[in-house]
Coordinates of all heavy atoms in Angstrom, one line a residue:
H605 N 44.0 21.9 -85.5 CA 43.8 20.9 -86.5 C 42.9 19.8 -86.0 O 43.0 18.6 -86.4 CB 45.2 20.2 -86.8 CG 46.0 21.0 -87.7 ND1 46.0 21.0 -89.2 CD2 46.9 22.1 -87.4 CE1 46.9 21.9 -89.7 NE2 47.4 22.6 -88.6
A674 N 34.4 22.7 -90.2 CA 34.7 21.5 -90.8 C 33.6 20.6 -91.0 O 33.5 20.0 -92.1 CB 35.8 20.8 -89.9
V677 N 31.4 22.0 -93.9 CA 31.9 21.8 -95.2 C 31.7 20.3 -95.6 O 31.3 20.0 -96.7 CB 33.4 22.0 -95.2 CG1 34.1 21.6 -96.5 CG2 33.8 23.5 -95.0
N678 N 31.9 19.3 -94.5 CA 31.7 18.0 -94.9 C 30.3 17.7 -95.2 O 30.1 16.9 -96.2 CB 32.1 17.2 -93.5 CG 32.3 15.7 -93.9 OD1 32.9 15.3 -94.8 ND2 31.5 14.8 -93.1
G716 N 41.2 24.9 -97.6 CA 41.8 23.6 -98.1 C 41.1 22.4 -97.6 O 40.9 22.1 -96.4
F717 N 40.6 21.6 -98.6 CA 39.9 20.4 -98.3 C 40.8 19.4 -97.5 O 40.2 18.6 -96.7 CB 39.3 19.8 -99.6 CG 38.3 20.6 -100.2 CD1 38.5 21.2 -101.5 CD2 37.0 20.8 -99.6 CE1 37.5 22.1 -102.0 CE2 36.1 21.5 -100.2 CZ 36.2 22.2 -101.4
G718 N 42.1 19.4 -97.8 CA 43.0 18.5 -97.0 C 42.9 18.9 -95.6 O 43.0 18.1 -94.8
Y719 N 43.0 20.3 -95.3 CA 42.9 20.6 -93.9 C 41.6 20.2 -93.2 O 41.6 19.7 -92.1 CB 43.1 22.2 -93.8 CG 42.8 22.7 -92.5 CD1 43.6 22.6 -91.4 CD2 41.7 23.5 -92.4 CE1 43.4 23.2 -90.2 CE2 41.4 24.2 -91.1 CZ 42.1 23.9 -90.0 OH 41.9 24.5 -88.8
V720 N 40.5 20.5 -93.9 CA 39.2 20.1 -93.3 C 39.2 18.7 -93.0 O 38.7 18.2 -92.1 CB 38.1 20.5 -94.4 CG1 36.7 20.1 -93.8 CG2 38.0 22.1 -94.5
C721 N 39.6 17.9 -94.0 CA 39.6 16.3 -93.8 C 40.5 16.0 -92.6 O 40.0 15.2 -91.9 CB 40.0 15.8 -95.1 SG 39.8 14.0 -95.2
E722 N 41.6 16.6 -92.4 CA 42.4 16.3 -91.4 C 41.8 16.7 -90.0 O 41.9 15.9 -89.0 CB 43.8 17.1 -91.5 CG 44.8 16.7 -90.4 CD 45.8 17.7 -90.2 OE1 45.7 18.8 -90.8 OE2 46.6 17.5 -89.2
V723 N 41.1 17.8 -90.0 CA 40.5 18.2 -88.7 C 39.4 17.2 -88.4 O 39.3 16.7 -87.2 CB 39.7 19.6 -88.9 CG1 38.8 19.9 -87.8 CG2 40.8 20.7 -88.9
L724 N 38.6 16.7 -89.3 CA 37.7 15.7 -89.1 C 38.3 14.4 -88.6 O 37.7 13.7 -87.8 CB 36.8 15.4 -90.4 CG 35.9 16.7 -90.7 CD1 35.3 16.4 -92.1 CD2 34.8 16.9 -89.6
D725 N 39.3 14.0 -89.3 CA 39.9 12.7 -88.9 C 40.5 12.8 -87.5 O 40.3 11.8 -86.7 CB 41.1 12.3 -89.8 CG 40.6 11.8 -91.2 OD1 39.4 11.5 -91.2 OD2 41.4 11.8 -92.1
N726 N 41.0 13.9 -87.1 CA 41.5 14.0 -85.7 C 40.4 14.0 -84.7 O 40.5 13.5 -83.7 CB 42.3 15.3 -85.6 CG 43.7 15.2 -86.2 OD1 44.3 14.1 -86.4 ND2 44.3 16.3 -86.7
L727 N 39.3 14.8 -85.1 CA 38.1 14.6 -84.2 C 37.5 13.3 -84.1 O 37.2 12.8 -83.0 CB 37.0 15.6 -84.7 CG 37.3 17.1 -84.5 CD1 36.4 18.0 -85.4 CD2 37.2 17.5 -83.0
E728 N 37.5 12.5 -85.2 CA 37.0 11.2 -85.1 C 37.9 10.2 -84.3 O 37.4 9.4 -83.6 CB 36.7 10.6 -86.5 CG 36.2 9.2 -86.7 CD 34.7 9.2 -86.1 OE1 34.0 10.2 -86.1 OE2 34.3 8.1 -85.7
Y736 N 32.2 12.4 -86.9 CA 33.1 13.2 -87.7 C 33.6 12.4 -88.9 O 34.7 12.9 -89.5 CB 34.1 13.8 -86.8 CG 33.7 14.5 -85.7 CD1 33.5 14.0 -84.4 CD2 33.3 15.9 -85.8 CE1 33.1 14.8 -83.4 CE2 32.8 16.6 -84.9 CZ 32.8 16.1 -83.5 OH 32.2 16.8 -82.5
R737 N 33.0 11.4 -89.3 CA 33.6 10.6 -90.5 C 33.5 11.5 -91.8 O 32.5 12.2 -92.0 CB 32.8 9.4 -90.7 CG 31.4 9.5 -91.2 CD 30.8 8.0 -91.3 NE 29.5 8.2 -92.0 CZ 28.4 8.4 -91.3 NH1 28.3 8.6 -90.0 NH2 27.2 8.5 -92.0
A738 N 34.5 11.6 -92.5 CA 34.7 12.4 -93.6 C 33.9 11.7 -94.8 O 33.9 10.5 -95.0 CB 36.1 12.7 -94.0
S739 N 33.2 12.5 -95.7 CA 32.7 12.1 -96.9 C 33.7 11.5 -97.8 O 34.9 12.1 -97.9 CB 31.9 13.3 -97.5 OG 31.5 12.9 -98.9
P740 N 33.4 10.5 -98.4 CA 34.3 10.0 -99.5 C 34.7 11.0 -100.5 O 36.0 11.1 -100.9 CB 33.5 8.9 -100.2 CG 32.5 8.4 -99.2 CD 32.1 9.6 -98.4
L741 N 33.8 12.0 -100.9 CA 34.2 12.9 -101.9 C 35.1 13.9 -101.2 O 36.1 14.5 -101.9 CB 33.0 13.7 -102.3 CG 33.2 14.9 -103.3 CD1 34.0 14.4 -104.6 CD2 31.9 15.4 -103.9
L742 N 35.1 14.2 -99.9 CA 35.9 15.1 -99.3 C 37.4 14.6 -99.3 O 38.3 15.3 -99.6 CB 35.6 15.4 -97.9 CG 36.4 16.3 -97.0 CD1 36.4 17.8 -97.6 CD2 36.0 16.4 -95.5
R743 N 37.5 13.2 -99.1 CA 38.9 12.6 -99.2 C 39.4 12.7 -100.6 O 40.6 12.9 -100.8 CB 38.7 11.2 -98.9 CG 38.4 10.8 -97.4 CD 38.8 9.5 -96.8 NE 38.4 9.4 -95.5 CZ 38.9 9.8 -94.5 NH1 40.1 10.6 -94.7 NH2 38.5 9.8 -93.2
Q744 N 38.5 12.6 -101.7 CA 38.9 12.8 -103.0 C 39.3 14.2 -103.2 O 40.4 14.6 -103.8 CB 37.9 12.4 -103.9 CG 37.5 11.0 -104.0 CD 36.4 10.6 -104.8 OE1 35.3 11.3 -104.8 NE2 36.5 9.6 -105.7
L745 N 38.6 15.2 -102.8 CA 38.9 16.6 -102.9 C 40.3 16.9 -102.1 O 41.0 17.8 -102.6 CB 37.8 17.5 -102.4 CG 36.6 17.5 -103.2 CD1 35.5 18.2 -102.3 CD2 36.8 18.3 -104.4
A746 N 40.6 16.2 -101.0 CA 41.7 16.5 -100.3 C 43.0 16.1 -101.1 O 44.1 16.5 -100.9 CB 41.7 15.7 -99.0
H747 N 42.8 15.2 -102.0 CA 43.9 14.7 -102.9 C 43.7 15.2 -104.3 O 44.0 14.5 -105.3 CB 44.0 13.3 -102.8 CG 44.3 12.7 -101.6 ND1 45.6 12.7 -101.0 CD2 43.5 12.0 -100.7 CE1 45.6 12.2 -99.9 NE2 44.4 11.7 -99.6

Side-chain angles (χ1 to χ4, degrees):
H605 287 267
V677 172
N678 192 50
F717 292 108
Y719 166 72
V720 173
C721 190
E722 184 204 359
V723 168
L724 292 169
D725 284 346
N726 285 335
L727 287 165
E728 184 64 22
Y736 299 99
R737 70 181 187 277
S739 168
L741 181 56
L742 182 63
R743 294 199 182 281
Q744 292 175 313
L745 288 167
H747 297 288

